[in-house]
Amino acid sequence: RRAFTAAGTGRNVVMAVYTTDLDAGRGDLYTAIGLGRNLERIGYEVIYLPQDRWYEVPPHTDLYVAYLETVDLTILPRDVTTVAWIRNQTEAWLRQPWLHWYDVVLCSSQQSLDAVQDAYLGATGLLPVGVDTELFNLKGRIEDRAGVVSTVNQWGRERQLFTALEGAKPDCALALFGIQRGVPEVLGRHGRGPVSFFALPSLYNEAQVVLDDFNHTTVGYGNVNSRVFEAAACGAVVITNRAAELES
């Protein structure tokens, strides 16, 4: 069991994520690592807890940040400041009875924040998803890039990206990384399997174009995927299926 090295600092942070497996393709972990690395640079200590250890909260935890709506606040210690960061699944978060028990609720888009403020009376704030530019940055020459890449996962429900690609029958150099359950057979030859988080910067630096996809839980609320900013920071052209929250 992990523990914080210093007690009573006010800077001991737990990130509750689905998994700590970097090869699993879970966006909540990627986003947590990006935030956590930046918090560590300014003096915070960060511990990541996967789903099967959410409630093994280390002693002297000051701040507990939940990335998924299924974290049950009734099991957490009462002396820990709790924060919900809503980056997707806005409607699922709003259905949880313990949402009102969080000390703070943050949202990655203004549309999600508006919906939360209609139902939650506590402290709220806007915290858009960003990018760790120490990891994701431009390397090499733009003219050396080639091909089209996607790192969109499909866990079962069909993504608009794969529907569009099936209809387009792409004949370009296309590589589909990630977990893709139920992807049309015509796209099978482009599949490259899961990719680790720390391999993404190299991948985005090699591609001319990176394809993104707002899924059904984000498309109505403008919750932008970290992929958009990470690929753009590496100099790739990003194509996605919505402009919400990207206008500026």
Side-chain angles (χ1 to χ4, degrees):
R1 178 175 176 176
R2 290 198 58 190
F4 290 105
T5 58
T9 65
R11 290 175 170 243
N12 295 336
V13 182
V14 163
M15 303 278 199
V17 292
Y18 184 84
T19 180
T20 54
D21 180 359
L22 290 168
D23 295 327
R26 297 289 309 197
D28 58 297
L29 176 60
Y30 295 175
T31 306
I33 290 173
L35 177 59
R37 281 167 51 86
N38 279 275
L39 288 175
E40 288 169 346
R41 291 188 191 107
I42 58 175
Y44 285 78
E45 189 170 354
V46 181
I47 289 176
Y48 303 89
L49 293 183
Q51 188 174 23
D52 60 350
R53 294 182 53 209
W54 278 349
Y55 309 111
E56 297 176 16
V57 182
H60 310 302
T61 296
D62 301 305
L63 192 65
Y64 186 104
V65 183
Y67 281 73
L68 290 99
E69 76 283 358
T70 45
V71 174
D72 185 348
L73 256 67
T74 65
I75 305 177
L76 294 177
R78 298 296 177 90
D79 60 343
V80 173
T81 298
T82 54
V83 178
W85 189 12
I86 301 177
R87 309 156 9 269
N88 55 26
Q89 298 284 357
T90 302
E91 293 173 7
W93 277 98
L94 290 171
R95 288 194 296 268
Q96 292 294 2
W98 49 72
L99 177 68
H100 301 276
W101 298 1
Y102 278 96
D103 295 301
V104 180
V105 176
L106 303 174
C107 299
S108 68
S109 75
Q110 186 61 52
Q111 290 167 278
S112 285
L113 184 59
D114 291 343
V116 166
Q117 289 176 333
D118 286 340
Y120 170 81
L121 300 179
T124 60
L126 181 65
L127 181 61
V129 171
V131 57
D132 184 348
T133 53
E134 183 177 303
L135 279 177
F136 295 91
N137 52 72
L138 178 63
K139 297 180 176 68
R141 304 186 308 165
I142 295 291
E143 54 267 32
D144 292 335
R145 295 171 180 268
V148 179
V149 161
S150 168
T151 57
V152 172
N153 294 293
Q154 179 166 290
W155 304 101
R157 181 164 178 160
E158 191 168 50
R159 302 290 291 261
Q160 289 184 350
L161 169 63
F162 299 120
T163 302
L165 287 175
E166 180 184 22
K169 297 181 175 59
D171 58 2
C172 61
L174 171 66
L176 303 178
F177 291 88
I179 297 169
Q180 287 124 21
R181 298 174 185 162
V183 167
E185 290 184 11
V186 69
L187 300 178
R189 65 187 179 91
H190 300 287
R192 299 294 183 270
V195 60
S196 173
F197 175 70
F198 288 104
L200 292 176
S202 294
L203 189 62
Y204 294 154
N205 265 286
E206 294 170 4
Q208 286 183 323
V209 176
V210 173
L211 304 177
D212 179 62
D213 181 281
F214 282 71
N215 71 20
H216 68 286
T217 72
T218 62
V219 69
Y221 291 93
N223 304 118
V224 182
N225 298 309
S226 59
R227 177 186 306 105
V228 171
F229 304 111
E230 291 162 356
C234 293
V237 174
V238 182
I239 298 176
T240 189
N241 57 335
R242 290 292 187 277
E245 300 286 329
L246 292 172
E247 295 88 345
S248 57

